[in-house]
Amino acid sequence: MKVGKRRKVNKQTRNRYIWAYIFILPQFIVFFGLSLYPIIMSYVYSFYDWTGIGPLNKFVGFSNYISVFKEEKFWNAFKNTFIYTAGFTMVSVSAALVLALILNNPKLKGIGIYRTIYFLPVVTTTAIIGIIMKNIFGNQGLINEALKIIGVIDQAVPWLINPVTAMIVLIIVGSWKEIGIIMIYWLTGLQMIPRELYEAAHIDGAGYWQTLRHITLPLLAPIGATIILLTTVSSMHVFDLVKTLTGGGPYYSTETLELYIYRFAFASDGISQVGYASTVGVILGLTVFIISLGLGWVVMRVNKSRADAGVQG
Amino acid sequence: MKKNLSLIVSLILLSALLLVGCQKEDGKTGETDKDIVTLDLWNNIAAGRTYFPILIEEFEKNNSGIKIKLNNVNVESSEAEYQAAISDNNLPDMFTTDAYTINEFVELGLVHELNDLFPEKVREEYTDGVFDVGNTMVGDDVYLFPIYKGGTYMMFYNKEVYEELGIETVPKTWEEVMTVGKEIYEKSGGASHGLLFGGQSGWLVNGVVQLMATEASPEAGYDYANGEYNFATVGHVETMEFFKNLLDNNALSPLSLENDSTVARELFTSGKAAFLLDGNWTGQLLHESEFENWGVVPLPTKDANGKQYGEFRLGSNDGMYVSKETKNWNEVKIFMEFLRENIYGEILKDGEPLIAKDSAAIKVELPFEEVNDIADIFLNMSIRVPNPIVLNPHTQEVRTEFLKNAPDESIGSVTMGYLTGQVKDLKGTLQKYTDDYNAEFTKAIDGNEHVTKEDYKFPNWVPYQSYTEENYKELNR
Amino acid sequence: MNTKVGKIITHVCLIVIGIVWIYPFIWMISSSLKTNKTYLTSGINPIPEKLNWENYTRAWEVANFSTYFINSVLITLGTVIIVVTLSCLTGYALGRVDFPGRKVVIVCIGALMFIPSGYTIIPLYQFMKFLGLSNSIYGVILAESSGAHVLFILLFAAFFSRIPKEMEESAAMDGCGFLGTFFRVILPTAKPVIATAIIMQFIWTWSSFLVPLVLTLNNPELRTLAVGMLSFVGKYQTDWTGMAAGATISLLPVIIVFILMQRYFIEGISGSVK
């Protein structure tokens, strides 16, 4: 990759450089022309006391930040976001791995149909899923009725009324929705493992489980770290599902940061505080940034140790 | 034709974009007729989706030079839409919204005064209090075209459940709600409960608990005599404990905890509960869904002779605004004059009695008899209360300021927290809420040089009695 | 023999879990054929008492889904074309040409992935207004295409960087210039990555809500399906079965796109990361 810096650039190479700049230009224009201004502005708002309408003229410095940190409900939402993220990442990443291991077998018939089935929730609008699931987990919903018929329970379980079960339901439904796409990531990783390695293992007389333990899983580690990073980052922004499934309840016990932000940015009663909401948005953004830096460091370490071990993907 | 064509061709990559262009120009050509003035009307009143088209059609028939373009705004998203529209002075000619209050609109200079439409003589046709400052007026000017006159909550009962289980009493007191509720649960073998309400609709629980609390504590919510907020009254605590008691004794359906008012109403009509707590508009919605076997009574009271009250107050969503930036004020006026004469009859015909004009004076055939019951319950419940803004307009600035910073709690959310077992120390939680609220209130008053605590005290206020202009004069401020 | 039994067990498991998996969809479709009352009270029974096709008519005609459908198709197609083209070009430049400043661009793009996006739609709206594009379908497409499409750019860059140098060289020998090489030789090999980008961008744009909502304020006839879905929800009244019908309608195109392209999908990602 290293190119001599002082090397004389001939005409053809210069031509290539010019074309490269031309290729990048449109993306550049679209990004700086359309995205930068809105992004910068939401940072600017966080330093203002602003309701969303009227002139932007009450500069308050860091006072929004100070009041955010003093707010009990903010920390509650912060905590809930972490609980959800941790639970969601664990459940969805591991379940998707199991699914991917099964669906990676090219000899399995109907593989396309299975993949489509398990991918289906991914393509559905989350808000609709929330409404459906709310009914399914309701007091007289499908789950309770089914459990009653089987005889596991005789009183309906208040799934969405109890703070602990409400969070569990949220994590399960959230995972169900996203497992399809995470499965695809894992399948990608599985396809990158050279077939010869399996064949060699087979010749050495290794069984399925041994191969899995000693070849498949270690080789999946690097992409696994990346998948965890992507999943964590996206799940910290969970919103639609919480809004439609639990509405943050019971009594704020499933309210996540995005929901908290929404409550202030678009207050249904009372007065919107776009300034305050933007502040929480910036804090969430920074948190995600720090977490991804940490996870990114882990990803690099895993990749490096793999390279050190001399295994090539 | 073009649309069908575009669907097929759009698969060919870039040509799709060109087609969008064609389509857009198609849309434009229809509007360039020069003699016709088009007025934009944004509506977010659910019932308005039915009556506005009827009214507009009739209006356009008689006024060929004016076209009304109705845009039904989604309730869930209207806040975002209005924020964007306001942010660059792009409000439609006329609009209904609950996103902002009348005072905010006037303060920002966004709405047009409507004085010409409501001279003294016209105002007499309206219910007393509609033209109070803070309702449709700011200072001496009318800004909100009143359509409704506020609302209140009441208890609907399902006659089918009554007949099926052979029950007679329609409960008036808390005790009766409990006994009848238990009876219903037992007789139906758990299939039906007594009471039901949409607990996920925060505004509903808020409103109901507040109204019921005023029986034991007329100072509940806001104490007009002392000028302070109070959410930790005996009335509040007793009301919440009453609901909890009902729930523990199977007299309140657990479905109340997880559903909002739209679902609760459907569950009520399907017989899951005998009583439903909901707002005045429910009558019309029940009628619309072809469920006729119901009756309506006031919210239950603790004592048989107990009295509750709510403030007679119009919100932004009870009327319509005109944008200050409208370029067609004359045409808007013509349309509004038409609405002033015709809209109320149209709404009443639909089954909604709480129109801003006195409904008795409008002769239309009522779609169902309970319309009058609902109107009576509202008039008994709602009274005019003191409003600091009448004597000192600067109190509006204080209000905006402290509502922004007030704790994001509400009576409704505490009630639901208590019912689901999240709030353990009810009194403590309510007291803390009250203290935090008042602290922000005091801070906002101190921060405004034109306002003092005295502006909020009305020593001559008598609970359960209407507070009129005479009373304001008595104060001698 | 053992493997045959294993295979059958695998299939049985996959089918049983699969049914549970898509049960919510069966439920959604059956709801779209129920009445609002039975929707809430029928409990475990998925079979509607009679087929209420009028939910679909209501969604298609009264709720204006016929118009919204075409809008959604046009906006999504426009956005997909722009985004995929832009990220493909950028990806090629980054993956293939070691131009001065390449490292800086890559670091910037990587950092962008984690920069929190805006929490208010107001600046975007004002900006579109400034460009004179609010209330037009172009404005929505442009706004949807905004942002740096980090994931796609990286996918394309990784894919292109793996193409053997000989391919380019032989093309150059045949007299192809930079453009000719790209379009005639390189691009046709990138089908899987393109398909991946199309599927993912399609899903995102199809269900995007806030941007089309705010940018079509004054022109309700430009709304998309995701926005139109909200018209079933009122403060006092909700039409669940109409909504279920609407959701079923809007789910169809995405499923079709996925089924058509899923063959390339996994190949697309693995082809780039390998």
Side-chain angles (χ1 to χ4, degrees):
Chain A
M1 208 35 89
K2 248 205 164 95
V3 180
K5 285 218 172 89
R6 294 277 155 218
R7 198 190 58 183
K8 209 169 175 278
V9 179
N10 65 28
K11 200 179 158 216
Q12 205 201 340
T13 321
R14 207 172 54 207
N15 207 7
R16 276 175 72 83
Y17 290 170
I18 292 171
W19 274 115
Y21 289 125
I22 292 174
F23 269 37
I24 291 181
L25 193 68
Q27 174 71 62
F28 197 78
I29 293 174
V30 165
F31 177 71
F32 282 95
L34 295 174
S35 316
L36 206 58
Y37 174 73
I39 290 179
I40 290 175
M41 281 317 279
S42 48
Y43 281 80
V44 172
Y45 293 147
S46 74
F47 295 103
Y48 282 87
D49 179 0
W50 190 48
T51 58
I53 58 169
L56 190 67
N57 55 12
K58 251 176 112 184
F59 183 79
V60 293
F62 280 95
S63 121
N64 277 334
Y65 288 84
I66 294 167
S67 37
V68 168
F69 287 126
K70 275 200 250 166
E71 195 58 59
E72 223 175 283
K73 297 250 161 56
F74 163 77
W75 289 111
N76 171 59
F78 200 78
K79 184 192 79 187
N80 290 334
T81 307
F82 271 92
I83 295 176
Y84 177 81
T85 301
F88 171 82
T89 309
M90 273 192 286
V91 172
S92 60
V93 172
S94 51
L97 173 61
V98 173
L99 211 54
L101 285 173
I102 298 170
L103 291 183
N104 190 42
N105 182 355
K107 284 184 205 138
L108 198 71
K109 279 203 185 108
I111 210 162
I113 296 169
Y114 288 130
R115 282 179 186 173
T116 309
I117 285 176
Y118 290 102
F119 196 75
L120 203 54
V122 179
V123 300
T124 317
T125 312
T126 319
I128 304 291
I129 286 181
I131 291 169
I132 295 174
M133 289 300 185
K134 189 170 174 161
N135 204 305
I136 287 180
F137 282 96
N139 190 287
Q140 298 177 355
L142 179 76
I143 302 273
N144 273 327
E145 298 297 317
L147 288 177
K148 271 188 211 161
I149 290 169
I150 304 170
V152 181
I153 52 170
D154 49 40
Q155 274 286 316
V157 178
W159 295 106
L160 299 172
I161 301 306
N162 179 306
V164 178
T165 50
M167 183 57 95
I168 292 174
V169 168
L170 209 54
I171 289 171
I172 290 175
V173 174
S175 306
W176 168 78
K177 166 106 173 67
E178 299 298 332
I179 277 175
I181 191 84
I182 303 169
M183 170 190 81
I184 301 281
Y185 296 153
W186 279 122
L187 279 172
T188 307
L190 285 168
Q191 309 227 320
M192 282 156 48
I193 299 174
R195 209 141 288 280
E196 305 86 62
L197 279 178
Y198 288 119
E199 279 154 21
H202 190 71
I203 291 163
D204 290 349
Y208 177 78
W209 296 108
Q210 273 175 309
T211 320
L212 184 69
R213 188 166 139 40
H214 294 289
I215 295 182
T216 316
L217 291 183
L219 285 177
L220 277 179
I223 196 165
T226 316
I227 290 172
I228 289 173
L229 173 69
L230 283 175
T231 315
T232 309
V233 170
S234 73
S235 64
M236 290 200 65
H237 290 288
V238 61
F239 171 71
D240 288 11
L241 187 68
V242 190
K243 177 144 199 314
T244 46
L245 187 55
T246 67
Y251 199 64
Y252 308 102
S253 58
T254 57
E255 183 172 74
T256 57
L257 280 174
E258 287 277 6
L259 202 65
Y260 184 81
I261 292 168
Y262 176 86
R263 212 147 56 77
F264 285 92
F266 302 111
S268 59
D269 36 13
I271 294 170
S272 297
Q273 296 179 62
V274 174
Y276 184 87
S278 301
T279 309
V280 184
V282 170
I283 294 173
L284 172 60
L286 290 176
T287 314
V288 171
F289 185 66
I290 292 167
I291 289 177
S292 23
L293 276 188
L295 285 173
W297 182 77
V298 174
V299 172
M300 274 182 0
R301 284 299 295 261
V302 172
N303 279 331
K304 193 164 166 286
S305 67
R306 182 188 63 147
D308 290 348
V311 189
Q312 288 300 318
Chain B
M1 201 53 226
K2 187 136 262 170
K3 284 177 178 173
N4 276 333
L5 189 73
S6 66
L7 242 180
I8 303 160
V9 184
S10 55
L11 287 169
I12 304 161
L13 303 179
L14 283 163
S15 60
L17 279 173
L18 295 171
L19 267 175
V20 185
C22 302
Q23 207 187 12
K24 197 187 137 209
E25 274 154 29
D26 277 357
K28 279 270 159 69
T29 47
E31 285 167 30
T32 47
D33 244 316
K34 270 185 191 139
D35 305 334
I36 292 178
V37 174
T38 304
L39 301 177
D40 278 312
L41 166 60
W42 285 10
N43 163 53
N44 79 336
I45 301 171
R49 292 175 185 225
T50 322
Y51 60 71
F52 276 123
I54 300 173
L55 290 162
I56 289 170
E57 198 190 324
E58 206 182 315
F59 173 77
E60 286 177 347
K61 228 172 13 195
N62 302 323
N63 297 271
S64 51
I66 307 173
K67 279 229 163 322
I68 312 288
K69 194 170 147 204
L70 177 69
N71 176 7
N72 290 316
V73 179
N74 296 326
V75 175
E76 270 283 306
S77 60
S78 68
E79 176 96 16
E81 304 190 61
Y82 279 102
Q83 272 185 11
I86 291 168
S87 78
D88 66 357
N89 275 329
N90 198 19
L91 280 170
D93 300 297
M94 294 166 281
F95 57 97
T96 72
T97 176
D98 55 359
Y100 297 95
T101 65
I102 181 170
N103 293 302
E104 287 175 278
F105 278 127
V106 174
E107 205 178 316
L108 291 165
L110 293 168
V111 288
H112 203 291
E113 49 81 16
L114 308 170
N115 296 337
D116 290 358
L117 285 163
F118 299 102
E120 209 52 53
K121 211 165 160 342
V122 173
R123 292 189 199 180
E124 281 164 15
E125 296 168 25
Y126 286 78
T127 307
D128 282 347
V130 165
F131 287 96
D132 278 357
V133 172
N135 281 345
T136 55
M137 308 204 27
V138 173
D140 293 329
D141 300 314
V142 183
Y143 286 99
L144 181 72
F145 178 104
I147 298 176
Y148 303 101
K149 55 184 162 211
T152 193
Y153 301 99
M154 46 200 79
M155 189 163 90
F156 299 83
Y157 61 97
N158 184 332
K159 287 180 182 165
E160 280 172 11
V161 176
Y162 265 71
E163 281 157 26
E164 202 173 302
L165 301 176
I167 297 168
E168 301 282 305
T169 356
V170 176
K172 290 199 175 59
T173 64
W174 291 8
E175 212 184 315
E176 284 166 353
V177 173
M178 177 67 93
T179 12
V180 178
K182 281 185 192 164
E183 197 185 340
I184 289 167
Y185 184 76
E186 276 154 30
K187 279 192 175 168
S188 68
S192 284
H193 283 80
L195 193 64
L196 176 70
F197 58 85
Q200 291 276 319
S201 296
W203 45 266
L204 172 73
V205 187
N206 224 12
V208 167
V209 172
Q210 173 59 33
L211 287 176
M212 288 171 69
T214 57
E215 183 189 351
S217 314
E219 78 282 9
Y222 183 75
D223 186 341
Y224 298 93
N226 291 329
E228 272 182 344
Y229 287 89
N230 197 344
F231 304 112
T233 62
V234 178
H236 284 121
V237 174
E238 278 182 352
T239 307
M240 294 180 200
E241 283 171 349
F242 165 61
F243 281 124
K244 177 86 174 158
N245 237 329
L246 290 179
L247 183 67
D248 292 344
N249 287 291
N250 293 321
L252 171 66
S253 168
L255 292 168
S256 305
L257 304 182
E258 58 185 32
N259 293 301
D260 64 14
S261 74
T262 66
V263 182
R265 193 182 59 249
E266 298 285 351
L267 294 170
F268 166 74
T269 59
S270 63
K272 295 275 179 193
F275 326 118
L276 173 75
L277 302 182
D278 214 332
N280 48 279
W281 54 86
T282 307
Q284 192 238 323
L285 293 176
L286 289 173
H287 172 70
E288 206 180 283
S289 63
E290 286 163 16
F291 179 74
E292 304 290 359
N293 233 340
W294 55 276
V296 60
V297 289
L299 292 176
T301 51
K302 194 180 172 202
D303 290 321
N305 303 319
K307 179 117 185 70
Q308 305 163 341
Y309 78 94
E311 51 182 322
F312 181 91
R313 175 79 66 232
L314 274 75
S316 263
N317 213 20
D318 287 316
M320 191 193 290
Y321 294 103
V322 174
S323 165
K324 189 147 200 174
E325 303 290 318
T326 179
K327 293 184 184 73
N328 308 302
W329 170 235
N330 284 325
E331 286 78 9
V332 168
K333 224 157 70 179
I334 297 171
F335 180 60
M336 289 220 146
E337 270 161 13
F338 170 83
L339 284 186
R340 200 182 61 196
E341 303 312 320
N342 297 291
I343 193 171
Y344 305 105
E346 201 59 53
I347 297 173
L348 203 54
K349 241 192 303 193
D350 241 14
E352 174 53 67
L354 301 191
I355 48 173
K357 276 190 183 177
D358 280 325
S359 52
I362 295 170
K363 295 278 167 276
V364 293
E365 199 183 320
L366 297 177
F368 50 97
E369 52 188 293
E370 291 85 358
V371 170
N372 289 322
D373 298 341
I374 293 174
D376 290 345
I377 291 171
F378 171 81
L379 290 174
N380 281 329
M381 183 71 102
S382 307
I383 56 170
R384 293 158 80 183
V385 294
N387 190 346
I389 209 166
V390 174
L391 297 174
N392 185 353
H394 290 290
T395 53
Q396 169 53 28
E397 298 152 25
V398 171
R399 193 181 153 75
T400 314
E401 182 61 26
F402 97 83
L403 278 187
K404 244 180 353 193
N405 301 323
D408 63 344
E409 186 79 83
S410 73
I411 306 168
S413 66
V414 176
T415 308
M416 294 315 290
Y418 182 59
L419 290 182
T420 57
Q422 301 301 295
V423 173
K424 297 269 164 15
D425 175 16
L426 185 57
K427 274 180 203 156
T429 309
L430 287 172
Q431 192 58 52
K432 183 172 180 301
Y433 173 40
T434 303
D435 293 345
D436 291 352
Y437 209 86
N438 278 322
E440 286 300 337
F441 183 45
T442 313
K443 214 163 87 188
I445 293 174
D446 293 345
N448 191 310
E449 49 180 338
H450 305 292
V451 179
T452 66
K453 268 236 128 121
E454 292 306 306
D455 289 322
Y456 292 89
K457 291 181 182 166
F458 299 88
N460 61 347
W461 170 67
V462 184
Y464 316 116
Q465 275 186 26
S466 186
Y467 198 88
T468 60
E469 275 143 51
E470 296 306 310
N471 299 112
Y472 284 114
K473 279 181 194 145
E474 261 172 46
L475 286 174
N476 261 330
R477 273 195 203 135
Chain C
M1 265 305 90
N2 201 8
T3 50
K4 201 160 198 182
V5 175
K7 230 180 225 170
I8 290 168
I9 291 173
T10 317
H11 273 292
V12 168
C13 283
L14 281 175
I15 288 169
V16 170
I17 297 173
I19 289 172
V20 174
W21 208 256
I22 54 168
Y23 192 84
F25 293 96
I26 298 172
W27 198 85
M28 179 178 94
I29 293 165
S30 85
S31 299
S32 71
L33 295 168
K34 287 180 181 174
T35 62
N36 272 319
K37 201 163 160 182
T38 48
Y39 159 84
L40 285 164
T41 50
S42 56
I44 196 161
N45 179 15
I47 298 151
E49 71 290 359
K50 77 183 223 318
L51 302 180
N52 294 280
W53 290 106
E54 58 266 27
N55 292 328
Y56 282 90
T57 353
R58 199 166 62 240
W60 194 252
E61 281 160 15
V62 182
N64 240 335
F65 266 42
S66 49
T67 316
Y68 298 163
F69 193 88
I70 292 172
N71 291 337
S72 276
V73 169
L74 291 176
I75 288 174
T76 308
L77 274 179
T79 308
V80 165
I81 292 166
I82 295 181
V83 169
V84 174
T85 312
L86 291 187
S87 41
C88 181
L89 291 180
T90 313
Y92 184 69
L94 287 176
R96 245 10 247 186
V97 187
D98 192 24
F99 58 90
R102 175 175 170 271
K103 281 245 169 68
V104 180
V105 175
I106 289 182
V107 168
C108 284
I109 287 176
L112 278 179
M113 196 161 183
F114 304 107
I115 285 189
S117 46
Y119 280 99
T120 156
I121 197 75
I122 298 163
L124 185 66
Y125 179 75
Q126 287 172 334
F127 196 64
M128 282 298 160
K129 181 90 188 169
F130 169 74
L131 293 178
L133 285 174
S134 65
N135 289 313
S136 92
I137 211 160
Y138 296 119
V140 183
I141 293 176
L142 262 188
E144 288 282 353
S145 320
S146 70
H149 314 280
V150 180
L151 196 63
F152 298 154
I153 293 177
L154 295 182
L155 270 180
F156 276 113
F159 176 83
F160 287 129
S161 70
R162 264 160 238 281
I163 290 176
K165 234 187 154 113
E166 297 79 46
M167 266 179 88
E168 269 181 316
E169 279 163 4
S170 68
M173 225 119 47
D174 294 345
C176 285
F178 187 84
L179 277 185
T181 316
F182 176 66
F183 282 112
R184 276 189 232 143
V185 182
I186 308 288
L187 206 54
T189 62
K191 259 190 223 147
V193 193
I194 294 175
T196 309
I198 289 178
I199 290 183
M200 294 177 85
Q201 187 63 41
F202 194 97
I203 294 169
W204 288 335
T205 318
W206 190 257
S207 53
S208 161
F209 171 70
L210 208 54
V211 170
L213 167 75
V214 172
L215 290 180
T216 58
L217 279 183
N218 281 323
N219 238 346
E221 54 273 31
L222 289 181
R223 282 181 191 154
T224 60
L225 285 174
V227 177
M229 205 73 84
L230 263 201
S231 62
F232 294 110
V233 186
K235 185 170 179 186
Y236 304 138
Q237 204 175 12
T238 299
D239 178 2
W240 297 278
T241 53
M243 198 165 173
T248 312
I249 293 173
S250 64
L251 190 59
L252 267 178
V254 199
I255 294 179
I256 292 171
V257 169
F258 180 74
I259 291 176
L260 285 181
M261 301 209 164
Q262 75 110 11
R263 187 161 67 92
Y264 295 112
F265 194 30
I266 295 159
E267 223 183 296
I269 304 182
S270 60
S272 333
V273 188
K274 204 174 262 183

